[in-house]
Amino acid sequence: MRNKNSFFDKTKLLPKLIIVIPSLLVLVVGIFMSTFYIDKLEQHFEQARKNSINEYIINKKKESEIWVNQLRSLIQYKSSSIDESIKHELKVRVELAYESAKYIYDKYKNTHSKEDIKNRIKDALLKMSFNDKKNYIFISSFDGNSILSGSRESQNKNILDYTDADGRSVVLEEITKVRKYKEGFIKSKHYKGGGIKTIYVKDLGFYDWYIGSSIFDIQQLEFIKNDSLEIIRSSPIQQDDFMIIYEDKKPIYFSPKIRELFSKESLDDIQGRLSMESNWYEESISGHLYYDRYIPDFNWHIVYAFNISKMSESELKKQQQIQSLVNKELEFIRNISIIIVVLVLILSVLLSRAINHMFLSYQQNVKSRQQQLEFLNASLEQRVARELHNLRQKDKMLIQKAKMADMGDMISMIAHQWRQPLNQLSYVLMNIDSAYEYKELDKKYMDEKIKEANNLLEFMSVTIDDFRDYFKPDQKKEMVNIGNVVKRGLELMKKPLENSEVEIVHIDRCDNDVDIYVNEFVQVILNLVKNSKDALFQNKVKNPKIEIITQCDKDVTFVEVRDNGGGIDPKIIDKIFEPYFTTKDAQHGTGLGLYMSKMIVEEHLGGKIVVENIDGGVSFKIIL
């Protein structure tokens, strides 16, 4: 009887066990999985936080080194061109003086006395001064007499026996150079222990006179230093970064508000650690890490630092956002666990009643899961769209940043474009002044000179507008003729190509308009032309030539840039569009130009860019 009762007790207990045991198993498994998942999630979160901080510091170091190396490249470029710029400046000066003297001679040779013409020439050239009146135009005769001199002591005296600090008869060398070659350059040491100066002389062609001018190398070096310093002052750096420049280990430039941020002891500590070797100083000074790079061309030390504390604040905000996402994920897990437990309990009860009830419950469960899946899919589509939008914004910022990285080259281009018009404008003003002084200024002459000056100013205005438009980020596409866009890019590169003696040929066979981002496409053309120019220069190609062909069909537009620079090594031709891949050294290339060009053409313009070696060179084809 007891056994029977025991059997019935177990039978009554069985339905309860069917409900309780699965529920307990679900709870235990749910708690275990939740605990395990939360632990792994926290470990991943902590590791991600550390990696994020390390990645921030590494990226900031790379950005800082790139910035300093760009300044170093600019300084090396300017320093290497000192002798060339001195000769160019002297030639422009003397040519201007020569044109003025010849104009006066041709104008009065049949109406005025020789003495009167000589005085007019001397008066006109006496007014020409350069570099804050440190340099002048001089006139000497072939018998060694000083007709006009910046030094009043030697004027109207015979200086044939003058020798420089090395004992060279400089005046005799000038006369010999002019008689033999009509013009030429001479190097001379002005006084013992002094600097070298460059002299340019030119035969005047009448009165047995020759004219000339000179510049001390140290003058040009100081001018280039000041010019470089002005470029640095006007170049933007990130808000929480700072920069100091030392010359002979003495500070010559501080970033704004730096003295408010750092104590005198901190600045003295930085100055005391200056070294000829490039170094990162990990010891934090007022929450900053800084990088020291020595530039031997100017005897400068450039110190660049970034703020770690600002990084920590931004990182804390990012971590809070991640923590918020983690909390939402945990809430989701708890809700799912509760739902599963409830479903299991319901299924256990229904299982004890009828199979058909179990089927209905299964249908309900499937429907619930489907709704959850649709919700997750909709949320996933929104996230993908948002991330794609963010990536496109980053692409635009990267394109604009690449433009700003070329700021030094663009400023040099503007300087080349403006130098000749400024000299001509000076010549116009000098002619007006001379005509007024000799009472020969009438309305007709004045109108002619005003028109000539306005033409020069209009040319300079158009030049600066072209460069300004290049730096504007594109907001929307425009329907434009592709040949005109190519011509616009070539106008920006006109002077560097002329200086490198590269022949540029543009063959335009396209009359159709195409819908593109104009400034981004101009950047692609500039990248490809600069790449070809660098290859031609690096390979020392005779008769260097770049050819651009634009042609179009009904639906397709082709732009081809080809050169005779020797082509690309087949072993690396498949890698040239990869980011940071370059065959140049760190001073002349970052490896981003072709990568940016490919990204613009294929992702922004919906086109394709391909490269292939051709006979004697390489061809880049853009298909839109």
Side-chain angles (χ1 to χ4, degrees), residues 299-360:
N299 195 21
W300 281 5
H301 283 272
I302 298 180
V303 175
Y304 194 99
F306 60 90
N307 192 332
I308 301 175
S309 60
K310 292 293 182 181
M311 174 272 293
S312 300
E313 291 176 7
S314 63
E315 192 60 33
L316 179 61
K317 185 176 180 180
K318 186 188 296 184
Q319 302 308 320
Q320 290 173 347
Q321 294 174 348
I322 296 176
Q323 187 64 54
S324 175
L325 292 175
V326 171
N327 292 336
K328 291 180 180 179
E329 188 73 17
L330 293 176
E331 183 68 24
F332 176 77
I333 292 172
R334 282 194 294 269
N335 292 337
I336 291 296
S337 300
I338 293 172
I339 292 172
I340 292 174
V341 170
V342 171
L343 288 176
V344 170
L345 289 173
I346 293 173
L347 287 173
S348 299
V349 173
L350 292 177
L351 184 62
S352 64
R353 293 183 177 182
I355 295 178
N356 62 330
H357 291 171
M358 291 177 61
F359 179 75
L360 293 174

Side-chain angles (χ1 to χ4, degrees), residues 228-442:
S228 300
L229 208 55
E230 286 302 317
I231 292 175
I232 292 171
R233 286 193 180 99
S234 62
S235 298
I237 62 175
Q238 295 192 18
Q239 182 178 358
D240 299 315
D241 296 354
F242 79 83
M243 185 165 58
I244 309 175
I245 298 178
Y246 296 89
E247 184 173 358
D248 291 329
K249 295 192 176 182
K250 296 178 182 178
I252 60 173
Y253 170 74
F254 287 99
S255 293
K257 297 184 179 180
I258 192 172
R259 296 183 186 274
E260 300 175 9
L261 297 173
F262 298 94
S263 64
K264 184 178 182 302
E265 291 76 14
S266 296
L267 294 175
D268 290 343
D269 185 44
I270 293 175
Q271 185 173 353
R273 293 187 178 189
L274 296 177
S275 170
M276 299 294 183
E277 300 293 330
S278 300
N279 287 307
W280 271 102
Y281 293 92
E282 302 292 341
E283 299 88 351
S284 151
I285 296 181
S286 300
H288 290 75
L289 294 180
Y290 69 92
Y291 177 65
D292 169 29
R293 181 66 185 264
Y294 177 63
I295 311 297
D297 303 81
F298 286 2
N299 195 21
W300 281 5
H301 283 272
I302 298 180
V303 175
Y304 194 99
F306 60 90
N307 192 332
I308 301 175
S309 60
K310 292 293 182 181
M311 174 272 293
S312 300
E313 291 176 7
S314 63
E315 192 60 33
L316 179 61
K317 185 176 180 180
K318 186 188 296 184
Q319 302 308 320
Q320 290 173 347
Q321 294 174 348
I322 296 176
Q323 187 64 54
S324 175
L325 292 175
V326 171
N327 292 336
K328 291 180 180 179
E329 188 73 17
L330 293 176
E331 183 68 24
F332 176 77
I333 292 172
R334 282 194 294 269
N335 292 337
I336 291 296
S337 300
I338 293 172
I339 292 172
I340 292 174
V341 170
V342 171
L343 288 176
V344 170
L345 289 173
I346 293 173
L347 287 173
S348 299
V349 173
L350 292 177
L351 184 62
S352 64
R353 293 183 177 182
I355 295 178
N356 62 330
H357 291 171
M358 291 177 61
F359 179 75
L360 293 174
S361 176
Y362 175 77
Q363 265 189 334
Q364 209 172 21
N365 187 28
V366 170
K367 185 176 180 181
S368 175
R369 299 274 183 161
Q370 184 177 1
Q371 290 175 349
Q372 293 175 18
L373 185 60
E374 290 174 355
F375 172 79
L376 289 175
N377 287 339
S379 174
L380 182 61
E381 290 176 357
Q382 293 176 358
R383 292 180 187 176
V384 170
R386 185 167 57 250
E387 290 301 322
L388 284 175
H389 175 74
N390 292 338
L391 286 174
R392 292 193 179 277
Q393 293 299 318
K394 289 179 181 178
D395 288 347
K396 290 182 178 180
M397 292 175 64
L398 187 59
I399 292 170
Q400 192 65 13
K401 187 174 180 181
K403 288 184 181 179
M404 299 308 294
D406 290 336
M407 181 71 77
D409 289 339
M410 289 301 172
I411 290 174
S412 177
M413 291 180 194
I414 294 173
H416 278 295
Q417 292 276 25
W418 274 23
R419 188 177 299 276
Q420 186 62 28
L422 286 174
N423 288 332
Q424 292 178 2
L425 188 60
S426 172
Y427 172 73
V428 169
L429 294 175
M430 193 178 305
N431 286 341
I432 293 174
D433 179 68
S434 177
Y436 176 82
E437 183 176 352
Y438 290 103
K439 303 185 183 303
E440 297 171 355
L441 183 64
D442 54 20

Side-chain angles (χ1 to χ4, degrees), residues 67 70 236 391-408 410 467-475 488 517-524 526-527 592 596-597 599-600 604:
W67 176 259
Q70 286 175 342
L391 286 174
R392 292 193 179 277
Q393 293 299 318
K394 289 179 181 178
D395 288 347
K396 290 182 178 180
M397 292 175 64
L398 187 59
I399 292 170
Q400 192 65 13
K401 187 174 180 181
K403 288 184 181 179
M404 299 308 294
D406 290 336
M407 181 71 77
M410 289 301 172
F467 284 95
R468 180 191 62 189
D469 291 340
Y470 170 70
F471 283 100
K472 288 182 180 179
D474 285 323
Q475 300 297 328
R488 176 177 168 184
Y517 294 104
V518 175
N519 283 347
E520 292 188 3
F521 191 81
V522 169
Q523 186 175 0
V524 173
L526 289 180
N527 283 339
L592 286 175
M596 292 294 300
S597 300
M599 183 179 68
I600 290 170
H604 291 202

